[in-house]
Amino acid sequence: MSKTRHDWTKEEILAIYNKPLMELLYEAATVHRKCHDPNTVQVSTLLSIKTGGCPEDCGYCPQAARYHTDIETNDLMTVSHVKAQALRAKASGSSRVCMGAAWRNVKDGPEFDQVLEMVRTINKLDMEVCCTLGMLTENQAKRLAEAGLYAYNHNLDTSEDYYKDVISTRAFEDRLKTIDNVRKSNVTVCSGGIIGMGEKLEDRAGMLVALSSLNPQPESVPINALVAVEGTPMENIEPISIWEMIRMVATTRIVMPETQVRLSAGRTQMSREGQAMCFFAGANSIFAGDKLLTTPNPDVNDDMEMFKLLGLNPQKPFTKISQPKTVEAQDSELKPLGEKPKWSRPAHSIARNEMAKTTIKTRE
């Protein structure tokens, strides 16, 4: 039952998703217990090291420069500030720090060098380090690996079919190319998506087909519920139900048995009972802290209280894969190549994204 497959079809995944709930939960929980400790959950802290001003047009994202949101933009954090935040996260129970920068893609230069130093600094704190920096080349992935990066996050967001209704400034293939570049290093892959963006169930299944077809499958798969932010094209979409999240988590667990399924954005809208059912269904990773980049998240003390109530234990760092070694900048054998890859810019436009660009709302 828990054998890893890379040939799932959309029809098979939909059949799993639509099973009677109790049957679905039983199957997912059985797979989960075969492959993981059901009482251990990996805890990550997500830190926005460069906020806002992104040139992309992702319909869900308040950090896109073209939309009129209340997000306060910030330049790249200093290494010392990031270290202080990492120490705080470690003290609160996190085993991983994920650093996010609102970039379209990584560019060689002083800012990337600064991020590499952040990676070195956090790895030396005996914490797993993850980055989400946009698209990157093979050489950039290898430089991150050399610095001690444990994981790279690059979400597929949704199915290939629905992708063109969410984002027009890059193509689905660019997402896959970046993941392929990460796989050419020794960095693990974190890749998932968002549900509740107006997609069909077939699109949720399509996203899982794309993720499960990767060989190896991502070591971590975040399942996000859309957090509709005022000023974005998706601001008026109604939140999904907890049952949809539970079904998505359970289906992901069955389709990708060895993967850590991360219960990500949208947890502020979930009761403890709802989250408990997600853990039972196979979720074994969360983001802790009061924000996920720019959107609200449960307080870490509330999470630790929930863990105590449910008998859950935070996972220790480097449980799955051993700690990477850090190579200091002066000892690096990899140099910036000054690459200028031609990431795609699809020609189509998305009506609701275009409308959001011109809609300026009066806020109190």
Side-chain angles (χ1 to χ4, degrees):
M1 182 182 293
S2 59
K3 182 181 178 182
T4 299
R5 286 178 50 188
H6 302 278
D7 59 350
W8 288 99
T9 67
K10 189 183 297 186
E11 292 72 24
E12 288 177 312
I13 293 175
L14 280 171
I16 293 171
Y17 185 98
N18 288 316
K19 281 186 177 186
L21 184 62
M22 295 307 160
E23 184 179 339
L24 175 61
L25 286 173
Y26 178 80
E27 183 176 346
T30 302
V31 171
H32 187 50
R33 280 151 180 73
K34 282 190 174 184
C35 300
H36 306 272
D37 178 351
N39 296 317
T40 299
V41 175
Q42 193 268 327
V43 182
S44 295
T45 292
L46 184 55
L47 181 63
S48 182
I49 58 172
K50 188 271 178 185
T51 306
C54 182
E56 303 279 48
D57 78 333
C58 305
Y60 53 80
C61 187
Q63 297 201 65
R66 66 190 67 203
Y67 305 139
H68 306 282
T69 65
D70 291 330
I71 296 302
E72 182 179 344
T73 60
N74 292 299
D75 293 332
L76 190 65
M77 281 186 181
T78 63
V79 175
S80 60
H81 189 180
V82 167
K83 181 179 181 179
Q85 293 291 326
L87 286 169
R88 179 185 171 194
K90 185 176 183 179
S92 67
S94 288
S95 61
R96 179 183 296 188
V97 171
C98 184
M99 299 183 288
W103 293 336
R104 170 177 164 82
N105 58 277
V106 175
K107 296 178 181 178
D108 292 337
E111 287 196 329
F112 185 44
D113 291 340
Q114 191 168 324
V115 171
L116 292 172
E117 194 57 37
M118 293 175 189
V119 172
R120 296 186 185 98
T121 299
I122 297 175
N123 191 44
K124 291 174 189 175
L125 298 178
D126 296 326
M127 298 185 76
E128 297 173 7
V129 194
C130 177
C131 283
T132 179
L133 311 170
M135 297 170 286
L136 81 168
T137 66
E138 178 182 346
N139 185 64
Q140 290 164 342
K142 289 180 176 178
R143 291 181 72 198
L144 284 164
E146 187 186 56
L149 191 71
Y150 185 90
Y152 194 83
N153 168 262
H154 203 60
N155 289 336
L156 296 186
D157 290 339
T158 186
S159 70
E160 184 172 5
D161 290 338
Y162 194 63
Y163 192 88
K164 63 182 180 297
D165 294 313
V166 178
I167 303 163
S168 72
T169 51
R170 62 169 183 261
F172 193 79
E173 291 75 17
D174 294 330
R175 310 254 94 188
L176 297 174
K177 178 61 178 176
T178 290
I179 291 172
D180 185 56
N181 287 337
V182 173
R183 282 298 184 205
K184 293 174 183 175
S185 70
N186 63 356
V187 175
T188 65
V189 168
C190 175
S191 184
I194 306 169
I195 65 173
M197 297 190 294
E199 76 284 350
K200 299 176 182 178
L201 291 185
E202 288 79 4
D203 294 307
R204 296 178 190 178
M207 181 181 76
L208 293 183
V209 168
L211 290 168
S212 63
S213 297
L214 297 173
N215 194 0
Q217 292 175 350
E219 285 78 4
S220 176
V221 172
I223 301 297
N224 298 274
L226 174 69
V227 178
V229 178
E230 187 177 6
T232 64
M234 296 184 177
E235 65 175 355
N236 293 319
I237 294 181
E238 291 296 318
I240 61 167
S241 74
I242 185 60
W243 306 112
E244 292 175 89
M245 179 60 79
I246 292 168
R247 284 186 177 278
M248 191 65 182
V249 166
T251 305
T252 304
R253 169 52 64 225
I254 294 167
V255 172
M256 289 179 273
E258 299 287 345
T259 292
Q260 289 204 274
V261 179
R262 191 186 305 279
L263 195 58
S264 300
R267 284 202 301 122
T268 55
Q269 300 167 346
M270 302 178 198
S271 67
R272 283 183 175 177
E273 293 85 353
Q275 292 181 69
M277 290 193 74
C278 287
F279 293 132
F280 181 78
N284 59 343
S285 182
I286 64 167
F287 281 118
D290 59 353
K291 278 191 176 182
L292 295 185
L293 296 181
T294 59
T295 55
N297 198 51
D299 179 80
V300 66
N301 294 322
D302 290 341
D303 281 334
M304 292 303 104
E305 187 178 315
M306 177 178 66
F307 273 32
K308 184 177 180 180
L309 181 68
L310 300 178
L312 299 175
N313 301 304
Q315 180 178 296
K316 293 182 179 180
F318 314 112
T319 299
K320 302 287 185 179
I321 295 174
S322 59
Q323 183 175 8
K325 292 182 179 179
T326 286
V327 176
E328 299 297 341
Q330 64 270 20
D331 300 321
S332 172
E333 297 181 357
L334 297 170
K335 304 300 177 186
L337 301 179
E339 302 165 281
K340 295 182 179 180
K342 293 184 179 180
W343 301 106
S344 66
R345 291 185 182 273
H348 76 284
S349 64
I350 303 169
R352 64 183 173 188
N353 291 11
E354 292 299 310
M355 186 177 297
K357 285 167 54 178
T358 59
T359 303
I360 303 177
K361 295 190 176 182
T362 303
R363 294 181 173 82
E364 295 180 359

